Amino acid sequence: MSPNPAIPGTPYLTTLQQEYQTLQTNIGLGVREVRFQDRTVVYPSIADMIRASNYLYQVLNPQAVRQVRFFTTKGL
């Protein structure tokens, strides 16, 4: 699951991709404090980190397919 390659001339996307990779690494390590360049963010929980990661993924991959599943006991 790698982000889209950077578009030449758009450092914004490259920065977001680096932030996404840093966030993914820290989620894997279980570390709630994320440092990127000169900023530090301490997330309240790993779940909040995952939500932030999902948001960055959607920003970087707007064409990504989102799957929604419905479960019911009464039928649909």
Side-chain angles (χ1 to χ4, degrees):
M1 174 172 68
S2 65
N4 290 339
I7 299 170
T10 55
Y12 178 72
L13 284 179
T14 305
T15 302
L16 282 181
Q17 289 171 345
Q18 292 170 350
E19 289 177 8
Y20 176 76
Q21 290 300 326
T22 302
L23 190 56
Q24 286 293 306
T25 300
N26 285 12
I27 288 171
L29 295 173
V31 179
R32 293 185 304 127
E33 183 174 302
V34 178
R35 293 181 186 182
F36 184 75
Q37 293 177 349
D38 61 342
R39 296 170 298 198
T40 301
V41 176
V42 179
Y43 288 90
S45 67
I46 298 294
D48 290 328
M49 293 176 74
I50 292 171
R51 279 192 287 275
S53 173
N54 289 341
Y55 174 76
L56 283 176
Y57 182 80
Q58 290 297 322
V59 168
L60 290 168
N61 300 297
Q63 74 280 1
V65 176
R66 187 171 183 183
Q67 189 177 54
V68 179
R69 295 182 182 177
F70 292 96
F71 297 96
T72 179
T73 57
K74 303 235 179 208
L76 185 65

